[in-house]
């Protein structure tokens, strides 16, 4: 890795860490300031959770779309959210996340997720994908507690 790539990776990592920090503070406007106008949030060719209508996993575009994502997330009762680790490269940052939350339908899930952030040369977010256990999220959105061992 050359110096320019290492510097860009470090800057990308700092941006994503600031996003998680802002999320923890509830400062959604600070996050939206880092979203590119053409950001593709949850852009998938075929995603089971999207077909099932899981509100917070729907595709969005740009800051207003990402704002709608955070509005959907605000409907969750988050019991635990932890960034376990991050790995940064020239264009992307991968974050390992542990989350436990309840849905408005009284469903509940605990998931170990990967969030993949893609940044442009200006350090703005141009794509985000949440790699999740879609079966858990679909069941929780339908009102099932997937954390119970019943």
């Amino acid at each position: 890795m050359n110096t320019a790539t290492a510097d860009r990776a470090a800057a990308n990592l700092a941006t994503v860490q600031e996003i998680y920090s802002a999320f923890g503070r509830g400062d959604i406007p600070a996050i939206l300031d880092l979203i590119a106008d053409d950001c593709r949030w949850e852009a998938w060719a075929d995603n089971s959770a999207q077909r099932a209508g899981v509100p917070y996993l729907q595709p969005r575009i740009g800051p207003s779309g990402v704002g709608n994502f955070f509005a959907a997330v605000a409907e969750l009762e988050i019991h635990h959210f932890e960034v376990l680790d991050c790995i940064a490269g020239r264009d992307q940052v991968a974050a390992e996340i542990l989350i436990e939350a309840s849905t408005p339908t009284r469903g509940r899930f605990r998931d170990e997720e990967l969030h993949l952030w893609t940044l442009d040369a200006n350090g703005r977010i141009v794509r985000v994908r949440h790699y999740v256990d879609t079966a858990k999220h679909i069941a929780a959105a339908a009102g099932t507690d997937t954390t119970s061992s019943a």
Side-chain angles (χ1 to χ4, degrees), residues 10-20 34 119 122-125:
N12 290 343
L13 179 60
T15 296
V16 171
Q17 288 173 327
E18 174 51 33
I19 288 170
Y20 286 119
L34 298 169
L119 297 90
N122 297 316
R124 297 181 57 80
I125 306 300

PDB file of all heavy atoms in Angstrom, residues 10-20 34 119 122-125:
ATOM      1  N   ALA A  10      -7.031   5.845   5.704  1.00  0.00           N
ATOM      2  CA  ALA A  10      -7.152   6.420   7.047  1.00  0.00           C
ATOM      3  C   ALA A  10      -8.255   7.480   7.085  1.00  0.00           C
ATOM      4  O   ALA A  10      -9.035   7.546   8.047  1.00  0.00           O
ATOM      5  CB  ALA A  10      -5.823   7.007   7.500  1.00  0.00           C
ATOM      6  N   ALA A  11      -8.339   8.300   6.045  1.00  0.00           N
ATOM      7  CA  ALA A  11      -9.387   9.331   5.979  1.00  0.00           C
ATOM      8  C   ALA A  11     -10.765   8.685   5.862  1.00  0.00           C
ATOM      9  O   ALA A  11     -11.719   9.126   6.517  1.00  0.00           O
ATOM     10  CB  ALA A  11      -9.131  10.269   4.798  1.00  0.00           C
ATOM     11  N   ASN A  12     -10.875   7.627   5.054  1.00  0.00           N
ATOM     12  CA  ASN A  12     -12.154   6.919   4.916  1.00  0.00           C
ATOM     13  C   ASN A  12     -12.582   6.309   6.244  1.00  0.00           C
ATOM     14  O   ASN A  12     -13.749   6.387   6.635  1.00  0.00           O
ATOM     15  CB  ASN A  12     -12.049   5.826   3.851  1.00  0.00           C
ATOM     16  CG  ASN A  12     -11.935   6.380   2.447  1.00  0.00           C
ATOM     17  OD1 ASN A  12     -12.229   7.543   2.203  1.00  0.00           O
ATOM     18  ND2 ASN A  12     -11.483   5.552   1.528  1.00  0.00           N
ATOM     19  N   LEU A  13     -11.625   5.701   6.933  1.00  0.00           N
ATOM     20  CA  LEU A  13     -11.912   5.105   8.237  1.00  0.00           C
ATOM     21  C   LEU A  13     -12.402   6.175   9.212  1.00  0.00           C
ATOM     22  O   LEU A  13     -13.393   5.973   9.926  1.00  0.00           O
ATOM     23  CB  LEU A  13     -10.672   4.409   8.784  1.00  0.00           C
ATOM     24  CG  LEU A  13     -10.819   3.761  10.162  1.00  0.00           C
ATOM     25  CD1 LEU A  13     -11.908   2.698  10.157  1.00  0.00           C
ATOM     26  CD2 LEU A  13      -9.480   3.177  10.600  1.00  0.00           C
ATOM     27  N   ALA A  14     -11.747   7.323   9.227  1.00  0.00           N
ATOM     28  CA  ALA A  14     -12.157   8.413  10.120  1.00  0.00           C
ATOM     29  C   ALA A  14     -13.572   8.886   9.787  1.00  0.00           C
ATOM     30  O   ALA A  14     -14.363   9.171  10.695  1.00  0.00           O
ATOM     31  CB  ALA A  14     -11.163   9.571  10.031  1.00  0.00           C
ATOM     32  N   THR A  15     -13.913   8.959   8.506  1.00  0.00           N
ATOM     33  CA  THR A  15     -15.255   9.377   8.102  1.00  0.00           C
ATOM     34  C   THR A  15     -16.302   8.404   8.610  1.00  0.00           C
ATOM     35  O   THR A  15     -17.312   8.806   9.201  1.00  0.00           O
ATOM     36  CB  THR A  15     -15.340   9.496   6.569  1.00  0.00           C
ATOM     37  OG1 THR A  15     -14.449  10.529   6.143  1.00  0.00           O
ATOM     38  CG2 THR A  15     -16.756   9.823   6.105  1.00  0.00           C
ATOM     39  N   VAL A  16     -16.069   7.112   8.407  1.00  0.00           N
ATOM     40  CA  VAL A  16     -17.047   6.108   8.841  1.00  0.00           C
ATOM     41  C   VAL A  16     -17.144   6.071  10.365  1.00  0.00           C
ATOM     42  O   VAL A  16     -18.248   5.981  10.918  1.00  0.00           O
ATOM     43  CB  VAL A  16     -16.712   4.731   8.233  1.00  0.00           C
ATOM     44  CG1 VAL A  16     -17.568   3.633   8.849  1.00  0.00           C
ATOM     45  CG2 VAL A  16     -16.904   4.779   6.714  1.00  0.00           C
ATOM     46  N   GLN A  17     -16.027   6.191  11.040  1.00  0.00           N
ATOM     47  CA  GLN A  17     -16.074   6.230  12.505  1.00  0.00           C
ATOM     48  C   GLN A  17     -16.864   7.438  12.991  1.00  0.00           C
ATOM     49  O   GLN A  17     -17.606   7.355  13.980  1.00  0.00           O
ATOM     50  CB  GLN A  17     -14.663   6.215  13.086  1.00  0.00           C
ATOM     51  CG  GLN A  17     -13.991   4.866  12.931  1.00  0.00           C
ATOM     52  CD  GLN A  17     -12.535   4.862  13.352  1.00  0.00           C
ATOM     53  OE1 GLN A  17     -11.814   5.856  13.203  1.00  0.00           O
ATOM     54  NE2 GLN A  17     -12.088   3.736  13.878  1.00  0.00           N
ATOM     55  N   GLU A  18     -16.734   8.571  12.302  1.00  0.00           N
ATOM     56  CA  GLU A  18     -17.507   9.762  12.669  1.00  0.00           C
ATOM     57  C   GLU A  18     -18.993   9.528  12.427  1.00  0.00           C
ATOM     58  O   GLU A  18     -19.842   9.989  13.203  1.00  0.00           O
ATOM     59  CB  GLU A  18     -17.033  10.990  11.903  1.00  0.00           C
ATOM     60  CG  GLU A  18     -17.879  12.240  12.134  1.00  0.00           C
ATOM     61  CD  GLU A  18     -18.117  12.592  13.614  1.00  0.00           C
ATOM     62  OE1 GLU A  18     -17.238  12.348  14.458  1.00  0.00           O
ATOM     63  OE2 GLU A  18     -19.216  13.117  13.928  1.00  0.00           O
ATOM     64  N   ILE A  19     -19.336   8.790  11.379  1.00  0.00           N
ATOM     65  CA  ILE A  19     -20.744   8.477  11.118  1.00  0.00           C
ATOM     66  C   ILE A  19     -21.320   7.657  12.268  1.00  0.00           C
ATOM     67  O   ILE A  19     -22.405   7.952  12.767  1.00  0.00           O
ATOM     68  CB  ILE A  19     -20.900   7.760   9.763  1.00  0.00           C
ATOM     69  CG1 ILE A  19     -20.664   8.769   8.627  1.00  0.00           C
ATOM     70  CG2 ILE A  19     -22.268   7.088   9.645  1.00  0.00           C
ATOM     71  CD1 ILE A  19     -20.560   8.152   7.254  1.00  0.00           C
ATOM     72  N   TYR A  20     -20.580   6.630  12.714  1.00  0.00           N
ATOM     73  CA  TYR A  20     -21.079   5.825  13.831  1.00  0.00           C
ATOM     74  C   TYR A  20     -21.159   6.655  15.116  1.00  0.00           C
ATOM     75  O   TYR A  20     -22.095   6.494  15.904  1.00  0.00           O
ATOM     76  CB  TYR A  20     -20.215   4.583  14.043  1.00  0.00           C
ATOM     77  CG  TYR A  20     -20.442   3.532  12.979  1.00  0.00           C
ATOM     78  CD1 TYR A  20     -19.402   3.117  12.162  1.00  0.00           C
ATOM     79  CD2 TYR A  20     -21.701   2.959  12.793  1.00  0.00           C
ATOM     80  CE1 TYR A  20     -19.611   2.160  11.185  1.00  0.00           C
ATOM     81  CE2 TYR A  20     -21.916   2.006  11.819  1.00  0.00           C
ATOM     82  CZ  TYR A  20     -20.872   1.605  11.016  1.00  0.00           C
ATOM     83  OH  TYR A  20     -21.084   0.665  10.039  1.00  0.00           O
ATOM     84  N   LEU A  34     -22.476  13.978   4.938  1.00  0.00           N
ATOM     85  CA  LEU A  34     -21.410  13.161   4.351  1.00  0.00           C
ATOM     86  C   LEU A  34     -21.899  12.272   3.216  1.00  0.00           C
ATOM     87  O   LEU A  34     -21.127  11.509   2.639  1.00  0.00           O
ATOM     88  CB  LEU A  34     -20.756  12.303   5.447  1.00  0.00           C
ATOM     89  CG  LEU A  34     -20.087  13.089   6.564  1.00  0.00           C
ATOM     90  CD1 LEU A  34     -19.708  12.167   7.711  1.00  0.00           C
ATOM     91  CD2 LEU A  34     -18.870  13.835   6.032  1.00  0.00           C
ATOM     92  N   LEU A 119     -16.698   5.102  -0.556  1.00  0.00           N
ATOM     93  CA  LEU A 119     -16.491   6.552  -0.537  1.00  0.00           C
ATOM     94  C   LEU A 119     -15.858   7.002  -1.849  1.00  0.00           C
ATOM     95  O   LEU A 119     -15.077   6.268  -2.463  1.00  0.00           O
ATOM     96  CB  LEU A 119     -15.582   6.943   0.636  1.00  0.00           C
ATOM     97  CG  LEU A 119     -16.154   6.643   2.023  1.00  0.00           C
ATOM     98  CD1 LEU A 119     -15.770   5.256   2.486  1.00  0.00           C
ATOM     99  CD2 LEU A 119     -15.717   7.672   3.013  1.00  0.00           C
ATOM    100  N   ASN A 122     -13.588  12.429  -2.772  1.00  0.00           N
ATOM    101  CA  ASN A 122     -13.789  13.565  -1.864  1.00  0.00           C
ATOM    102  C   ASN A 122     -14.198  13.129  -0.461  1.00  0.00           C
ATOM    103  O   ASN A 122     -14.511  13.975   0.378  1.00  0.00           O
ATOM    104  CB  ASN A 122     -14.845  14.510  -2.443  1.00  0.00           C
ATOM    105  CG  ASN A 122     -14.409  15.108  -3.757  1.00  0.00           C
ATOM    106  OD1 ASN A 122     -13.262  15.533  -3.893  1.00  0.00           O
ATOM    107  ND2 ASN A 122     -15.295  15.103  -4.734  1.00  0.00           N
ATOM    108  N   GLY A 123     -14.227  11.827  -0.218  1.00  0.00           N
ATOM    109  CA  GLY A 123     -14.563  11.328   1.107  1.00  0.00           C
ATOM    110  C   GLY A 123     -16.050  11.312   1.411  1.00  0.00           C
ATOM    111  O   GLY A 123     -16.451  11.220   2.569  1.00  0.00           O
ATOM    112  N   ARG A 124     -16.884  11.383   0.379  1.00  0.00           N
ATOM    113  CA  ARG A 124     -18.338  11.336   0.573  1.00  0.00           C
ATOM    114  C   ARG A 124     -18.837   9.916   0.324  1.00  0.00           C
ATOM    115  O   ARG A 124     -18.297   9.191  -0.505  1.00  0.00           O
ATOM    116  CB  ARG A 124     -19.034  12.340  -0.338  1.00  0.00           C
ATOM    117  CG  ARG A 124     -18.581  13.777   0.027  1.00  0.00           C
ATOM    118  CD  ARG A 124     -19.212  14.862  -0.783  1.00  0.00           C
ATOM    119  NE  ARG A 124     -20.651  14.900  -0.757  1.00  0.00           N
ATOM    120  CZ  ARG A 124     -21.405  15.424   0.235  1.00  0.00           C
ATOM    121  NH1 ARG A 124     -20.830  15.920   1.300  1.00  0.00           N
ATOM    122  NH2 ARG A 124     -22.703  15.453   0.140  1.00  0.00           N
ATOM    123  N   ILE A 125     -19.889   9.539   1.015  1.00  0.00           N
ATOM    124  CA  ILE A 125     -20.442   8.202   0.900  1.00  0.00           C
ATOM    125  C   ILE A 125     -21.248   8.094  -0.402  1.00  0.00           C
ATOM    126  O   ILE A 125     -22.171   8.874  -0.629  1.00  0.00           O
ATOM    127  CB  ILE A 125     -21.360   7.873   2.105  1.00  0.00           C
ATOM    128  CG1 ILE A 125     -20.632   8.099   3.434  1.00  0.00           C
ATOM    129  CG2 ILE A 125     -21.929   6.468   1.982  1.00  0.00           C
ATOM    130  CD1 ILE A 125     -19.394   7.262   3.636  1.00  0.00           C
TER     131      ILE A 125
END
